[in-house]
Amino acid sequence: MQPVFELSLANILPPATVLTMVSGVWSIYVFLHLLPMLQLDMPAEHADSEVAFRGKIQLLISQVLAGLMMVCFLRASLTPPGSVPEAVEWRFGAFKDPNMTKEVKSANGERRRCKHCLIYKPDRCHHCRICKCCILKMDHHCPWIMNCVGFRNHKYFSLLVVYALLSCMFIGGTTLESLFQSVQKDMPVSHRFLLMLCFVTTAFMGGLLILFTGFHAMLMMRGLTTIEFCEKQTMVASPHAGKGSK
Ligand SMILES: [Zn+2]
Ligand SMILES: [Zn+2]
């Protein structure tokens, strides 16, 4: 069974917010930071070659990072996260076994099963209520990419987080130069405001992404998914919890 996507406002709003934010920051950075540095409208003899050179380097790095980030965003969003094969051996609804009517954990030695999809679940597979299907090696459902993060798109999601962090750090750091100059130069207040907005947005998102990247790096090093980490934390907090359901 494949994930079912509902194009409701609640589902579309988070990725639309991300894309709006990314395109806004990208536009401000290109038009108010990079283009003034490149000094394309100036004759070569009047242009500051050192600033123009730095502008070219920053243009190259920022566009490569932004490009990689968008490719990973699309791959994480559009790649099916991985579902249980539709072969008959995975279905239990076809067999008349009264015990096979509810999802159980694997601790009692029985095969794990999903009462919603009527299938057996391999290890690390979980049912997503939003996608309405079982996801292989499910990490979590991410509303920002409108998709589950699972076996087939986990790599793209991890790279997306890393490239997003690097983009925020690079854009935020290099925008500071234009922001300082905007105070000394004569420029429209709206341009000054937009440069400040670009810096604050990248600094804020960068701060959040540092925590998020650190958390996922820790999960990777421990070989855990987010769901497994949360299950472990629950077990540590209350060691007897869940014994009744096994
Ligand atoms: Zn399921
Ligand atoms: Zn999902």
Side-chain angles (χ1 to χ4, degrees), residues 163-200:
Y163 288 134
L165 172 61
L166 292 177
S167 299
C168 282
M169 287 169 72
F170 187 80
I171 291 176
T174 50
T175 306
L176 268 180
E177 183 182 346
S178 292
L179 193 59
F180 286 137
Q181 284 178 0
S182 73
V183 183
Q184 296 152 0
K185 270 194 211 166
D186 187 27
M187 78 161 48
V189 178
S190 58
H191 288 190
R192 213 170 280 155
F193 170 77
L194 287 172
L195 281 168
M196 177 60 88
L197 184 67
C198 176
F199 174 73
V200 170

Side-chain angles (χ1 to χ4, degrees), residues 103 114-119 121 126-128 132-135:
E103 186 176 314
C114 175
K115 65 178 177 181
H116 304 287
C117 308
L118 302 178
I119 54 167
K121 296 195 296 187
H126 296 276
H127 184 83
C128 175
K132 296 184 177 64
C133 90
C134 281
I135 306 294

